Amino acid sequence: MATEIKDTAHAVDAAAVMSLLPARPRLLALGEPTHGVDTPLDLRNELFRQLVEQEGYRTIVIESDCMMGLVVDDYVTGGTGTLDEVMEHGFSHGFGASAANRELVRWMRAYNDGRPASEWLRFAGFDGPLEITGAASPRQVLTALHGYLSACVDADLLPCTAETLDRLLGADDRWTNPAVMMDPAQSVGQSAEARELRLLADDLVAVLDAQTPHLITATSRADWDRAHLYGRTATGLLRYHFWMADTSPARMTWLVSLRDRMMADNLLAVAERGPALVHAHNAHLQRDKSSMRMGDLPLEWWSAGALVSAHLGEGYAFVAMALGTMRHQGVDTPPPDTVEGVLYALPEDRYVIDAPRLATVLGDTRPAPRVSPYFGYFPLDPAHLAENDGIVFLKDVPQS
């Protein structure tokens, strides 16, 4: 069996990844099993550079705030701001502190320099403006959407004025109160004002859709796309805040599901522009149900990848990432009866693995699930091995 397992493994490059797929997918997603270390991101950068240059991918999308991502896109396409400013203000979840993410942005700007706009490489974040402790105020996106429409559409077609939005929104710190996650009673998400804002946001998006031919001519397709991002984010945030105020046992399942729904909507919008490369945690990109425990509460939900795959079929591909050791977090040599242990026994430090073929080789002797001593690392689920198009395996991941 060792020889058969080795036959599923290939050197890590773009050609090896593409050889696993029937055709170039519209969205090619590369996962990671943990956050906060640069070695997997360095490998991501290497693969994404090759896929851009050899396969014609024109957008790179990562698990970061979709609104903050506009700062990065403006920099890599037009040189707006400085690299330092972009890394500080263009990423959420602390990802701007990553040297590998900084190198990715630097390379994208250098790639675009001197090229015509039709050949530019674009950047996008696809997460909502969310943290585990709460969510952003919908003010930024609602006022931006209203401002876009009011500049181009007759005022009597709009469902409200900017002053009405401002009054209903109130102070932003009501929306961003971190105590809400533990105490739903402190949320404004089910207040009369929030309920009215949900209706107004829906009507503003309806105007945006109904006026599409005029708006694209009067502004541009890019501006219209950005307005739709405002609309998706506004309705998603208001829905998220509504469920933050909920007190039922389904509250957390709703919240994690809504976050991935927002991610999926953003990915599908990016896919409409053309082929894109996606990077995020495996749990957000896998085709099977995601699961985790939050305290004593088990959660299950459909990931963004599962939702997008249901829409795009073979237009979506997912290559998971797995690792052998991350010793600085207590993740030592994997047991030999796990998927990671089987791959760790191979001689080289990194591989692209044909996951469906590996599942076939293993057959009924499917490995046991690996148990991680570190809460921030998610091992592969051997029960869903064949549902990955491939695996990128890194033998050892040092501390960044």
Side-chain angles (χ1 to χ4, degrees):
M1 182 182 288
T3 300
E4 292 176 291
I5 290 171
K6 189 172 182 180
D7 288 344
T8 69
H10 311 278
V12 179
D13 58 29
V17 171
M18 298 306 293
S19 72
L20 303 178
L21 310 173
R24 185 184 73 172
R26 204 157 184 84
L27 293 179
L28 174 52
L30 173 66
E32 65 175 353
T34 189
H35 289 321
V37 285
D38 272 348
T39 302
L41 304 187
D42 290 333
L43 182 54
R44 172 206 66 189
N45 290 352
E46 182 182 330
L47 273 176
F48 280 9
R49 280 195 293 267
Q50 293 177 22
L51 288 162
V52 166
E53 292 166 354
Q54 299 171 22
E55 300 294 333
Y57 282 94
R58 283 294 173 267
T59 305
I60 291 177
V61 194
I62 76 165
E63 181 190 340
S64 184
D65 183 326
C66 58
M67 295 301 296
M68 297 176 80
L70 298 176
V71 173
V72 186
D73 190 53
D74 286 344
Y75 174 76
V76 300
T77 57
T80 304
T82 68
L83 183 55
D84 285 343
E85 291 168 346
V86 167
M87 300 313 297
E88 181 178 356
H89 301 294
F91 291 85
S92 60
H93 303 87
F95 295 155
S98 160
N101 282 338
R102 184 183 182 90
E103 173 56 24
L104 176 67
V105 175
R106 186 209 62 77
W107 172 76
M108 292 179 71
R109 176 69 195 124
Y111 180 91
N112 285 337
D113 192 26
R115 294 179 187 267
S118 61
E119 297 179 14
W120 279 348
L121 185 56
R122 302 287 303 276
F123 179 93
F126 76 102
D127 202 352
L130 308 170
E131 297 281 355
I132 193 65
T133 54
S137 165
R139 175 181 299 279
Q140 178 190 6
V141 284
L142 274 175
T143 55
L145 175 58
H146 188 278
Y148 172 80
L149 291 172
S150 63
C152 303
V153 174
D154 290 342
D156 56 0
L157 290 178
L158 299 180
C160 64
T161 64
E163 290 74 22
T164 298
L165 286 181
D166 185 62
R167 174 179 57 80
L168 293 171
L169 285 162
D172 285 343
D173 58 8
R174 299 190 313 148
W175 299 92
T176 57
N177 179 5
V180 167
M181 183 51 73
M182 301 304 295
D183 183 7
Q186 296 196 44
S187 173
V188 298
Q190 293 188 16
S191 65
E193 293 87 354
R195 291 172 187 270
E196 187 171 353
L197 284 168
R198 288 186 78 181
L199 294 173
L200 293 174
D202 185 69
D203 282 344
L204 287 169
V205 173
V207 173
L208 180 64
D209 286 333
Q211 295 291 320
T212 293
H214 164 63
L215 291 169
I216 288 178
T217 302
T219 61
S220 68
R221 179 61 189 242
D223 288 340
W224 182 85
D225 281 340
R226 187 167 286 201
H228 260 285
L229 172 60
Y230 300 151
R232 288 194 305 276
T233 307
T235 55
L237 275 176
L238 287 163
R239 191 179 295 121
Y240 194 89
H241 279 289
F242 178 91
W243 283 99
M244 286 191 78
D246 184 62
T247 56
S248 77
R251 177 180 185 251
M252 288 308 304
T253 299
W254 265 102
L255 293 180
V256 294
S257 299
L258 287 173
R259 181 187 179 196
D260 270 82
R261 158 74 189 280
M262 291 177 73
M263 288 181 165
D265 288 345
N266 285 331
L267 288 177
L268 290 169
V270 167
E272 289 183 5
R273 293 202 314 233
L277 301 167
V278 183
H279 183 257
H281 199 286
N282 288 335
H284 291 305
L285 299 176
Q286 63 195 35
R287 289 189 176 91
D288 47 292
K289 260 192 169 179
S290 297
S291 62
M292 64 180 289
R293 295 192 71 86
M294 187 163 286
D296 295 330
L297 184 67
L299 300 175
E300 283 194 342
W301 72 100
W302 290 108
S303 73
L307 296 171
V308 169
S309 182
H311 283 278
L312 297 185
E314 288 188 352
Y316 178 76
F318 169 51
V319 177
M321 187 176 284
L323 58 87
T325 72
M326 195 164 56
R327 300 189 195 279
H328 63 282
Q329 296 289 7
V331 181
D332 292 321
T333 303
D337 63 344
T338 62
V339 174
E340 289 87 352
V342 167
L343 299 178
Y344 197 82
L346 295 171
E348 302 299 330
D349 290 336
R350 54 182 61 181
Y351 288 100
V352 170
I353 306 293
D354 185 333
R357 188 176 174 194
L358 177 62
T360 300
V361 169
L362 295 172
D364 294 334
T365 61
R366 192 62 56 85
R370 187 182 190 184
V371 177
S372 171
Y374 169 49
F375 73 93
Y377 160 62
F378 288 60
L380 287 176
D381 184 346
H384 298 290
L385 189 60
E387 293 168 30
N388 303 322
D389 294 292
I391 298 168
V392 170
F393 180 71
L394 283 172
K395 182 167 279 191
D396 299 295
V397 176
Q399 186 170 4
S400 296

